[in-house]
């Protein structure tokens, strides 16, 4: 198992990636002391992944993720860059209509921050809701604003 740290800059911040047997097992904004610098190409790869241009170059190992959480993560990855969905919509897409809270719990436990774009999931009551990575809801707001800018050309 090896940790890599990517200084991804705004709006992403720094991201630590854990790789085992050639697969990604975790991506987090938490600082990992033993992390080596990530390959420079991962910076553009992260941007490309979020914009839907191409998948991130490492496959995510989902073997430890419970089935419903996996379905929720897959549904989140289908949300286009620059768009949002509610937790209820995400739950329905994952096959469990009415399970908005369970979908929220799945997103809160997302082991692949940014790669599984949980920042695109918002509460039905309005606002952007919580975000467990980086600076919390401020980071979520920056990510959503960046995605709006790159997809719509809006400042």
């Amino acid at each position: 198992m090896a940790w890599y740290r990517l200084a991804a800059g705004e709006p992403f911040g720094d991201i630590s990636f854990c790789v085992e047997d050639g697969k990604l097992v975790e991506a987090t904004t938490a600082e990992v002391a033993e992390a080596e610098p990530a390959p420079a190409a991962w910076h553009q790869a992260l941007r490309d992944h979020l914009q839907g241009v191409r998948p991130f170059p490492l496959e995510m190992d989902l073997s430890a993720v419970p089935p419903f959480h996996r379905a929720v993560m897959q549904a989140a990855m289908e949300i286009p860059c620059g768009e949002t969905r509610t937790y209820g919509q995400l739950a329905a897409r994952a096959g469990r209509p009415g399970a908005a809270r369970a979908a929220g719990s799945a997103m809160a436990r997302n082991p692949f921050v940014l790669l599984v774009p949980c920042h695109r999931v918002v509460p039905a009551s309005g606002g952007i809701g919580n975000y467990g990575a980086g600076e919390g809801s401020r980071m979520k707001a920056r990510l959503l604003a960046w995605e709006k800018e790159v997809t719509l050309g809006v400042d």
Side-chain angles (χ1 to χ4, degrees):
M1 180 176 349
W3 281 94
Y4 300 93
R5 188 81 175 156
L6 177 64
E10 286 297 320
F12 313 110
D14 292 348
I15 306 162
S16 295
F17 297 93
C18 183
V19 179
E20 186 171 21
D21 296 327
K23 290 186 178 182
L24 191 63
V25 294
E26 185 177 355
T28 178
T29 56
E31 189 168 336
V32 178
E34 67 271 16
E36 300 174 22
W42 287 12
H43 186 267
Q44 188 60 47
L46 177 62
R47 288 176 180 270
D48 289 349
H49 173 77
L50 285 172
Q51 293 177 49
V53 174
R54 69 179 130 259
F56 195 72
L58 293 174
E59 178 184 347
M60 288 180 276
D61 181 356
L62 302 174
S63 61
V65 177
F68 176 67
H69 287 211
R70 230 176 302 159
V72 169
M73 290 169 61
Q74 181 59 47
M77 288 188 287
E78 293 170 2
I79 303 169
C81 179
E83 296 184 21
T84 59
R85 301 289 186 273
T86 65
Y87 291 102
Q89 290 171 318
L90 198 65
R93 183 81 177 127
R96 288 193 38 204
R101 286 186 181 206
S105 292
M107 290 289 84
R109 291 173 177 81
N110 174 12
F112 303 103
V113 67
L114 293 177
L115 299 176
V116 174
C118 53
H119 61 277
R120 296 179 186 157
V121 186
V122 297
S125 59
I128 63 167
N130 297 324
Y131 191 59
E135 298 173 357
S137 58
R138 286 188 301 201
M139 182 175 181
K140 186 174 185 175
R142 284 196 316 268
L143 289 167
L144 292 172
W146 175 81
E147 288 188 350
K148 183 178 177 184
E149 185 178 324
V150 298
T151 59
L152 304 175
V154 176
D155 291 346

